[in-house]
Amino acid sequence: MEPRGDEAVAERFEAALDRIGAYFMGSSPVQKTATQIARLLREMKIDYAIAGALCLAAHGVVRATEDVDVLISREGLERFKEAWLGRGYVDVRPGGKAVRDTVNGVKVDFLIEGDYPGDGKPKPVKFPSPALAGTDAGRARVVDLNHFVEMKLASGMTAPHRLQDLADVQRLIAAAKLPRDLAAQLDPYVRAKYEELWQTAQHPDEDY
């Protein structure tokens, strides 16, 4: 007799498969939210750049995500909230930086220009200006490669709960075949960590 299994686990598993399938087909709620918020910010002439996993995908590594990260200035975020809170977006926490897209049910995390990645404490690497760090990626602007790698490294180096950021950089090095000498173009604060991850990324995955 086969085990009956846990119906709740089965439901969550099926829902996860549906979400992941939609994500890799480019039609998930996350991607719809990113496209929509990019359009709204563009129409309002607010500088922005998509960061996080969606930016990672633009640079060569696709992994599923459940939220959207947007680099923006503090003034830009204030303008966006004044215009759109209560009109399809709500604060995740009153007065906080994150909002939720009520149509798609997706959280949007805003990374504020001048704030510090990872543990939030002062360090040589800050979140850059979206006007300077953004690059065109078709339906949206994303953080350019060098700034993106710097942000990820500074985050993973200083916040134990952000180790995924270091893993993202290592996967990106391997998938996009990033050169070792890219380190020279990065802030000195993160160069040694980039070279360490670059060296690790040269070992091919093994089948077991």
Side-chain angles (χ1 to χ4, degrees):
M1 179 178 177
E2 294 184 358
R4 193 180 62 143
D6 187 319
E7 292 183 1
V9 171
E11 289 178 2
R12 288 194 294 269
F13 180 65
E14 290 301 324
L17 290 178
D18 288 343
R19 289 197 303 272
I20 292 171
Y23 183 85
F24 283 97
M25 291 296 291
S27 59
S28 72
V30 169
Q31 289 150 319
K32 291 177 181 177
T33 292
T35 300
Q36 174 178 280
I37 203 162
R39 177 179 60 80
L40 294 177
L41 292 171
R42 184 170 60 247
E43 290 174 353
M44 294 180 71
K45 295 182 170 50
I46 295 174
D47 290 321
Y48 79 95
I50 301 295
L54 293 175
C55 181
L56 180 68
H59 290 301
V61 174
V62 178
R63 69 167 171 82
T65 184
E66 295 185 351
D67 56 19
V68 177
D69 293 331
V70 180
L71 177 65
I72 197 170
S73 69
R74 200 170 301 278
E75 177 189 8
L77 177 56
E78 290 173 358
R79 286 180 54 203
F80 174 79
K81 284 192 169 191
E82 286 175 4
W84 290 100
L85 283 185
R87 299 177 58 203
Y89 295 89
V90 295
D91 274 328
V92 171
R93 178 176 57 81
K97 292 180 289 188
V99 301
R100 187 170 300 281
D101 171 357
T102 59
V103 174
N104 294 298
V106 172
K107 185 174 76 165
V108 180
D109 285 317
F110 288 101
L111 311 178
I112 305 301
E113 174 187 349
D115 284 357
Y116 299 97
D119 59 6
K121 297 178 181 179
K123 57 179 65 68
V125 174
K126 301 179 181 181
F127 289 125
S129 160
L132 298 178
T135 187
D136 185 51
R139 286 184 288 174
R141 287 176 62 78
V142 302
V143 178
D144 66 38
L145 178 63
N146 288 16
H147 285 101
F148 183 65
V149 170
E150 286 181 343
M151 289 162 50
K152 283 280 188 180
L153 291 174
S155 176
M157 288 166 58
T158 60
H161 65 288
R162 300 289 307 184
L163 293 179
Q164 179 63 54
D165 289 326
L166 299 182
D168 284 344
V169 173
Q170 183 172 315
R171 290 184 63 196
L172 185 56
I173 290 169
K177 294 181 170 37
L178 300 185
R180 185 170 192 166
D181 60 11
L182 178 67
Q185 302 175 39
L186 304 177
D187 189 280
Y189 180 73
V190 300
R191 284 178 188 168
K193 179 58 70 175
Y194 176 84
E195 292 194 348
E196 175 190 329
L197 295 177
W198 186 91
Q199 192 64 46
T200 303
Q202 305 316 302
H203 298 284
D205 293 335
E206 297 181 3
D207 293 328
Y208 291 96

